Amino acid sequence: MAITGPQPNAWMTALPSYEPGRPLEEVAREAGLADISEMVKLASNENALGPSPRAVDAMQQAAHRMHLYPDGGAFYLRAALAEHLSVPSDHILPGNGSNELIELLGHVFLNDQAGIVMSEYAFVIYKLVAMLFNAETVTAPAHALGHDLDAMRAAITPQTKLVFIANPNNPTGTEVDHAALDGFIKSVPDNVLVVLDEAYVDLVPPAERPDTLQYVRAGRPVCLLRTFSKGYGLAGLRIGYAIGAPDLIQCLNRARQPFNVNYMAQSAALAALEDDDHLVATRQMVAEGLAQITQGLQAMGVEYVPSRVNFLLVRVGHGRRVFEELQREQVIVRPMDGYGLPEYVRVTVGTHAENERFLAALAKVQSIEPAPVSA
Ligand SMILES: Cc1ncc(COP(=O)(O)O)c(C=O)c1O
């Protein structure tokens, strides 16, 4: 890739762009549709209930203060999260989505002598961030599409600085066994940081989650990443947070931009944290939607990977073609060939009506394209 002017760092030329879920407006523009109201986007694991009404009120009030810079230290949000999680506030750093925190981990730990370990089929941003810093990615083979923690332990080398575990994982929806996770964290060398990406954890009923905060409290080299994008329905605001030891948090804090989390996001997140009813309703919507979609898939004889969160990996045969055909039916899902899963699409759990639209469109498309193809 020759460009005019100074040449980019050599490794940047190999760095692919992230392929996000396609925005409704973009698909409509391409199809020549003026109206997006008939389109259904189930492509980015967003919260189909929308944001909490309390968060919307807080944003409306915050709109009047948009001439002011936000509190870069996010004092009140960190205090509220600290109370919510029962950890001191110096263990918490908010970020511009948890994606930014993954990049900040790269700034702090990665270079051409360092590496990460991740699982096959795990969230692709880990690898993209490693590439951004010219660091090595060792990909441990998956087991039944999920993280194989023994294989990940075996993949750790003297260069490894970060091990990423997405739990639940996107795009597979798989979860690691709690006891295996515990054993893994105890077995990882102290000079390796285990990053537990818990973007979807708020969607899992609290009693059924592993207690991962215990590792931070016990001073293990563990960093938890969470987000307001999924359970709290605030993906558009870009706000997530890291939980870790104070010295880690201080390092990440030095790497961030001065005002990385805007005031509207901080205000909405504070309000959302107080709206437990919305979170409970979200979990209920997800549980009902999963039941609705999986029953529909079973009736069609279509395989899927079981999930407890707001998306499902569905084995449709030729994922990219089905994605394109669904798009013609005005239903946007996510093709999975970029993840090495060409037979699958990933569908987000939507409202009851959206899930129906997906099932009806898939039934139509499957009748055109019944035969599974191999990679
Ligand atoms: C596993 C996982 N981690 C992190 C993120 C990033 O979330 P955000 O940057 O919106 O907080 C996502 C988004 O889809 C995800 O699926």
Side-chain angles (χ1 to χ4, degrees):
M1 179 177 69
I3 64 163
T4 317
Q7 293 309 294
N9 290 325
W11 63 91
M12 289 304 291
T13 58
L15 184 63
S17 309
Y18 179 69
E19 188 190 355
R22 299 200 64 199
L24 289 168
E25 292 78 6
E26 184 183 286
V27 177
R29 213 168 36 243
E30 261 179 30
L33 296 171
D35 181 12
I36 59 166
S37 63
E38 284 305 301
M39 300 189 67
V40 174
K41 183 184 176 207
L42 299 174
S44 299
N45 302 344
E46 292 148 337
N47 185 329
L49 277 191
S52 134
R54 290 206 202 181
V56 174
D57 281 351
M59 284 186 267
Q60 275 160 349
Q61 285 173 35
H64 298 287
R65 293 178 50 111
M66 283 301 107
H67 58 300
L68 300 175
Y69 285 103
D71 170 11
F75 177 86
Y76 292 108
L77 179 59
R78 285 172 54 221
L81 283 167
E83 197 185 323
H84 187 72
L85 302 165
S86 305
V87 294
S89 63
D90 62 359
H91 287 52
I92 296 168
L93 182 73
N96 195 262
S98 49
N99 269 338
E100 187 199 27
L101 295 158
I102 300 170
E103 185 179 334
L104 294 183
L105 286 162
H107 278 292
V108 171
F109 292 106
L110 300 181
N111 56 51
D112 62 358
Q113 307 295 307
I116 71 161
V117 169
M118 63 183 281
S119 171
E120 187 182 17
Y121 312 131
F123 188 48
V124 71
I125 295 289
Y126 313 141
K127 183 175 179 151
L128 296 184
V129 166
M131 289 178 84
L132 182 62
F133 294 96
N134 202 16
E136 187 190 23
T137 298
V138 180
T139 305
H143 174 68
L145 295 182
H147 289 46
D148 177 340
L149 295 180
D150 289 338
M152 291 185 74
R153 177 71 188 78
I156 293 174
T157 71
Q159 277 68 46
T160 306
K161 291 281 189 75
L162 305 173
V163 177
F164 285 95
I165 298 176
N167 192 44
N169 182 44
N170 170 21
T172 56
T174 49
E175 295 178 41
V176 295
D177 176 76
H178 298 190
L181 179 64
D182 199 57
F184 178 83
I185 286 176
K186 287 181 179 143
S187 78
V188 165
D190 279 346
N191 58 355
V192 171
L193 181 71
V194 179
V195 183
L196 286 175
D197 182 344
E198 301 187 316
Y200 296 90
V201 81
D202 297 308
L203 298 172
V204 178
E208 295 169 30
R209 297 176 199 160
D211 175 13
T212 49
L213 281 163
Q214 63 167 311
Y215 303 121
V216 175
R217 291 195 192 101
R220 295 294 305 154
V222 169
C223 177
L224 310 183
L225 299 180
R226 296 189 181 172
T227 182
F228 285 90
S229 296
K230 309 298 177 183
Y232 292 97
L234 296 176
L237 283 178
R238 314 304 304 122
I239 179 159
Y241 54 99
I243 313 162
D247 51 355
L248 169 69
I249 293 297
Q250 277 169 29
C251 273
L252 294 171
N253 188 46
R254 273 182 235 135
R256 71 173 171 85
Q257 292 294 312
F259 305 108
N260 61 327
V261 180
N262 67 70
Y263 179 68
M264 199 168 276
Q266 292 184 35
S267 312
L270 266 171
L273 268 185
E274 289 184 357
D275 193 351
D276 215 35
D277 290 351
H278 188 262
L279 196 55
V280 171
T282 296
R283 282 190 205 120
Q284 175 82 11
M285 179 265 304
V286 168
E288 287 170 10
L290 282 173
Q292 179 191 3
I293 298 176
T294 54
Q295 278 162 22
L297 294 174
Q298 283 162 23
M300 281 185 254
V302 175
E303 283 177 35
Y304 56 88
V305 181
S307 160
R308 297 199 296 168
V309 291
N310 68 339
F311 59 87
L312 272 172
L313 193 60
V314 184
R315 194 171 184 194
V316 290
H318 194 306
R320 175 116 346 223
R321 195 176 312 155
V322 169
F323 154 73
E324 281 162 8
E325 284 166 1
L326 287 175
Q327 203 167 265
R328 281 196 277 281
E329 300 299 317
Q330 303 192 34
V331 175
I332 313 173
V333 297
R334 196 78 157 260
M336 285 287 116
D337 40 2
Y339 272 93
L341 295 164
E343 294 180 47
Y344 292 85
V345 295
R346 193 197 65 199
V347 62
T348 302
V349 175
T351 60
H352 191 271
E354 289 172 334
N355 301 335
E356 278 307 305
R357 279 282 304 279
F358 163 70
L359 289 168
L362 184 67
K364 187 168 168 190
V365 161
Q366 287 291 103
S367 65
I368 309 168
E369 175 53 49
V373 294
S374 60

